[in-house]
Every structure is written in structure tokens, then in C-alpha cells.
């Protein structure tokens, strides 16, 4: 797996092959089509990477920050169909990027579609905790967060 800054071609390719649940999240949360959501997410990110395996972009992920609250940031990831085939590699490399995220903010947070079981399992494995569910445009979502541990 190779990580590099995402290109326009990467975003086009991922949008064309994005998992349906991720497409739903783009439309429900951001009110955008997948390609537009990718462009906005990358443009507003503190940093973002495309993960490529055998010339295929399997996901684009990054870390965003709202306004002036430097102590809070939101991790995000949009994935391609078939990313599950590379789960073992992704899990092995996750601690590197998770540590970088934790170095950027005291609190990491975002929301996930309640039917996105694979993402919820992955976030749980990463150490995120979940709050009370709520609806976004009629669809169920769960907030998740991770706070920096006191040294």
C-alpha cells in the first residue's frame, strides 16, 4: 500500500468506484455528490492521503478542522468498493496515521452512518467511542470521538 497526496484523477477514480454507503454519507451529511464531497474534503483538510494498491486507489482519508478550535479535528475516510480485500494491510498501517491525527488535536470526532457496520467496527478497533444516535435527513447516524489521554 502506497500513501500519497490525492490527485484530481484519484478523486475521479474513487468517486466512480465508491462504496454505496460512503456515497450515501456524502449525500446525507454534506448534501454533495461523491466527487464534490471528495474535492471539498481534500481542499479543507489539514492533510489528506490517497491509499493506492497495485495502481488502484482504495480510499482517500484525511483530517479536517473546524474554525479556530485547534484542539478539535475530524478524521474522515471515503473508500472504494473492495477495500475489504486490503483490510489486513490497512489495519497494520492505521496506527501510524492515527498517531499523527492524535498529535494534531486533543479531541478527534465525526459521525458515521449507523448502517456502515464495517466502518463502525474499524473505528471501534481504532479506539473511538460512540455517542447517542441521531437522524440526518431521515437516516440514522452515530457520533464518534477519541480524546487524548493525559500524559
Amino acid at each position: 500500500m502506497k500513501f500519497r497526496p490525492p490527485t484530481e484523477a484519484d478523486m475521479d477514480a474513487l468517486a466512480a468506484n465508491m462504496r454505496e454507503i460512503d456515497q450515501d454519507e456524502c449525500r446525507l451529511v454534506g448534501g454533495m455528490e461523491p466527487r464534490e464531497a471528495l474535492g471539498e474534503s481534500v481542499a479543507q483538510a489539514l492533510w489528506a492521503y490517497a491509499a493506492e494498491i497495485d495502481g488502484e486507489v482504495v480510499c482517500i482519508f484525511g483530517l479536517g478542522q473546524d474554525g479556530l478550535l485547534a484542539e478539535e479535528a475530524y478524521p474522515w475516510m471515503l473508500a472504494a468498493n473492495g477495500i475489504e480485500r486490503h483490510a489486513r494491510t490497512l489495519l497494520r498501517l492505521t496506527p501510524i496515521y492515527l498517531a499523527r491525527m492524535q498529535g494534531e488535536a486533543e479531541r478527534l470526532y465525526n459521525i458515521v452512518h449507523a448502517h456502515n457496520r464495517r466502518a463502525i467496527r474499524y473505528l471501534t478497533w481504532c479506539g473511538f467511542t460512540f455517542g447517542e444516535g441521531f437522524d440526518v435527513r431521515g437516516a440514522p447516524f452515530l457520533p464518534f470521538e477519541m480524546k487524548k489521554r493525559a500524559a
Side-chain angles (χ1 to χ4, degrees):
M1 191 173 283
K2 181 167 96 174
F3 295 92
R4 57 179 168 67
T7 65
E8 293 293 325
D10 293 334
M11 291 184 273
D12 290 344
L14 180 58
N17 189 33
M18 189 179 290
R19 295 182 324 145
E20 186 175 340
I21 192 79
D22 287 7
Q23 291 179 43
D24 291 346
E25 287 185 0
C26 292
R27 292 178 181 119
L28 291 165
V29 176
M32 295 180 245
E33 289 302 309
R35 177 57 178 91
E36 183 184 6
L38 278 164
E40 287 287 318
S41 297
V42 169
Q44 295 177 7
L46 294 170
W47 51 265
Y49 289 103
E52 178 187 322
I53 296 180
D54 299 329
E56 177 187 349
V57 175
V58 296
C59 69
I60 296 177
F61 66 97
L63 187 67
Q65 201 165 42
D66 287 329
L68 302 173
L69 293 176
E71 66 271 358
E72 295 187 339
Y74 56 91
W76 56 269
M77 180 192 314
L78 295 168
N81 288 309
I83 190 171
E84 298 81 14
R85 292 189 309 265
H86 310 290
R88 190 167 280 156
T89 302
L90 189 62
L91 290 174
R92 192 179 80 244
L93 297 171
T94 291
I96 296 165
Y97 294 96
L98 189 56
R100 182 171 180 195
M101 289 178 184
Q102 291 174 312
E104 299 275 352
E106 293 294 317
R107 177 179 172 255
L108 301 174
Y109 71 96
N110 207 334
I111 61 175
V112 62
H113 196 295
H115 297 158
N116 196 342
R117 285 183 235 118
R118 288 186 172 127
I120 292 167
R121 192 171 6 171
Y122 174 67
L123 292 164
T124 301
W125 180 87
C126 288
F128 285 92
T129 58
F130 295 86
E132 190 78 22
F134 61 95
D135 280 1
V136 174
R137 297 184 179 154
F141 277 79
L142 295 170
F144 62 89
E145 75 172 357
M146 178 185 293
K147 293 180 181 175
K148 229 182 231 184
R149 293 187 179 112

